[in-house]
Amino acid sequence: MSLLNKKNDILPLPHRPRLALTLGDPAGIGPEVILKALADPELSKNFDVTVVGSQELLLQNYTRVLVNGNLVPLANPENLSILDVPLEEQIKSEIVIGTGNAASGAASFAYIECAIARTQQGEFDAIVTAPIAKSAWKAAGYDYPGQTELLAQKSGTDRFGMLFVARSPHTDWTLRSLLATTHIPLCQVPQVLTPELLTKKLDLLVECLEQDFGIENGKIAIAGLNPHSGEQGQLGREEQDWLIPWLDQERQQRPNWQLDGPIPPDTMWVKPGQAWYGGIDPTKAADAYLALYHDQGLIPVKLMAFDRAVNTSIGLPFIRTSPDHGTAFDIAGKGIADATSMKAAIKLAAELASVRLRRSGEVG
């Protein structure tokens, strides 16, 4: 089922969306969930998928999962479209399934670099990234907070955000949560948060809801920073000093949008939880939620939708999605990894790419 508003399906597609699917860290569960996702014959009926990675390593994962008694269908790598990224023999020899290290970090970095370059050259319309390990990147000499930041740097933009999207299997309601700050220590959050930053993130969120999801004149819930949103300055001054005045100004500048907040962080997720599980009419929940820091937004998302949430990078010149889970080295190669989130990431990337292709007026 589509996560998009039906208005985005009106115009014809100039060509089938073309997705680059990176292998992620080859020592993690990325290869396994890719093979499980692509085994679904219904998945790619309306778009084309190319795996960007190492064919040899993908075959190794395929063989290992089969040997371990996997009971879920797997796509045979020999039947997939694979953009084989060359790696030094020493790097390939040091990659061990289940153990993230400098070699696996170098490989996963090479895969995403290749996907970005080929997308910028016009070969692909969207990128779906399997999980990487930031520690493995660092061991390989690549000091990035995550894939999102690398994508933004390679795109030449400082205006981007991490939006998490998931559709409830209970009610069909769609959860959307944007993070104002991402991969930074918690102690730095109050210093990094500013009215200018939140305006930038809110601009991105509104644009994304309107252009990609077909939502206009919607409702956005915005979290407070402190417990009880500061309780009128008793538990922190940020809300009183600038967050509430900022929000009042944004309401004046966006009269067609309902901006609720700052909502106490411990109660902001009650309605989304009820909408997710069927406790309330989903229309009573917001169209999107703006969390001020990483765990404030991701703890509730992963509680509700760990196996189906999709990390969507907004503000980039191309579509990028990723499953909302990590490399899970402890279960890599055992045949027990859940591919639900990877499937959702692939589907959403194709849907968003379709919207942009229709809007671009390209001739295929």
Side-chain angles (χ1 to χ4, degrees):
M1 183 176 294
S2 173
L3 291 168
L4 309 184
N5 187 295
K6 291 299 181 184
K7 69 177 282 188
N8 287 316
D9 296 331
I10 297 173
L11 297 174
L13 276 173
H15 61 251
R16 286 164 59 93
R18 303 158 303 175
L19 275 57
L21 175 53
T22 67
L23 202 59
D25 193 304
I29 63 170
E32 180 181 336
V33 295
I34 285 173
L35 293 174
K36 287 179 175 178
L38 296 183
D40 183 350
E42 298 295 317
L43 184 68
S44 58
K45 274 190 171 182
N46 299 314
F47 53 89
D48 299 320
V49 179
T50 299
V51 178
V52 181
S54 302
Q55 186 170 21
E56 179 182 342
L57 296 176
L58 192 58
L59 280 166
Q60 288 178 8
N61 273 270
Y62 175 71
T63 302
R64 177 160 177 167
V65 172
L66 287 179
V67 169
N68 283 335
N70 174 68
L71 299 177
V72 178
L74 295 174
N76 188 329
E78 294 182 355
N79 299 327
L80 299 177
S81 172
I82 300 176
L83 175 55
D84 198 21
V85 178
L87 298 176
E88 295 178 7
E89 288 301 321
Q90 182 176 352
I91 289 178
K92 286 194 289 186
S93 68
E94 293 175 358
I95 294 173
V96 179
I97 298 175
T99 303
N101 56 24
S104 69
S108 63
F109 194 87
Y111 303 153
I112 190 171
E113 270 201 318
C114 178
I116 294 170
R118 295 297 187 93
T119 301
Q120 290 175 327
Q121 292 168 13
E123 292 185 34
F124 301 109
D125 303 304
I127 300 174
V128 182
T129 59
I132 60 95
K134 302 175 185 67
S135 59
W137 272 18
K138 192 165 186 177
Y142 303 112
D143 194 9
Y144 288 88
Q147 295 187 97
T148 301
E149 291 78 7
L150 174 64
L151 287 154
Q153 184 195 80
K154 294 290 185 180
S155 303
T157 181
D158 60 357
R159 187 175 177 270
F160 63 94
M162 290 174 60
L163 177 71
F164 291 82
V165 182
R167 180 179 286 278
S168 167
H170 312 285
T171 64
D172 284 339
W173 176 72
T174 301
L175 168 67
R176 303 176 187 88
S177 178
L178 179 66
L179 307 182
T181 60
T182 54
H183 302 118
I184 61 173
L186 187 59
C187 63
Q188 294 179 12
V189 171
Q191 286 73 48
V192 172
L193 284 173
T194 62
E196 293 76 19
L197 175 66
L198 286 188
T199 295
K200 182 185 296 185
K201 298 298 182 180
L202 189 56
D203 283 342
L204 280 171
L205 183 55
V206 168
E207 289 174 12
C208 176
L209 292 174
E210 290 178 343
Q211 297 175 11
D212 291 336
F213 291 95
I215 297 172
E216 298 176 355
N217 307 327
K219 178 167 64 175
I220 298 173
I222 299 162
L225 176 64
N226 295 295
H228 301 183
S229 288
E231 194 142 336
Q232 297 183 337
Q234 299 302 307
L235 301 176
R237 293 289 312 175
E238 285 84 359
E239 285 81 3
Q240 296 296 118
D241 289 348
W242 66 267
L243 188 53
I244 292 174
W246 168 80
L247 192 50
D248 288 339
Q249 184 176 7
E250 290 295 331
R251 289 191 183 104
Q252 294 177 12
Q253 296 179 355
R254 307 175 197 268
N256 295 329
W257 284 83
Q258 180 180 332
L259 304 178
D260 295 340
I263 302 174
D266 61 337
T267 59
M268 186 172 83
W269 300 103
V270 173
K271 281 187 179 180
Q274 292 171 332
W276 184 268
Y277 291 106
I280 63 169
D281 180 346
T283 61
K284 294 182 179 179
D287 295 297
Y289 293 81
L290 178 55
L292 301 190
Y293 57 91
H294 186 277
D295 288 5
Q296 188 188 68
L298 286 187
I299 288 175
V301 167
K302 292 189 177 184
L303 277 172
M304 287 183 274
F306 182 76
D307 62 346
R308 62 187 64 240
V310 178
N311 175 9
T312 308
S313 298
I314 61 176
L316 302 179
F318 47 78
I319 300 296
R320 179 265 179 153
T321 66
S322 180
D324 184 23
H325 59 69
T327 50
F329 292 121
D330 58 321
I331 64 169
K334 296 181 179 180
I336 59 175
D338 189 337
T340 305
S341 185
M342 175 57 79
K343 280 189 179 183
I346 294 170
K347 289 179 181 178
L348 182 58
E351 292 172 2
L352 294 175
S354 296
V355 171
R356 292 201 184 183
L357 285 170
R358 289 186 175 100
R359 203 167 58 232
S360 70
E362 293 178 10
V363 177

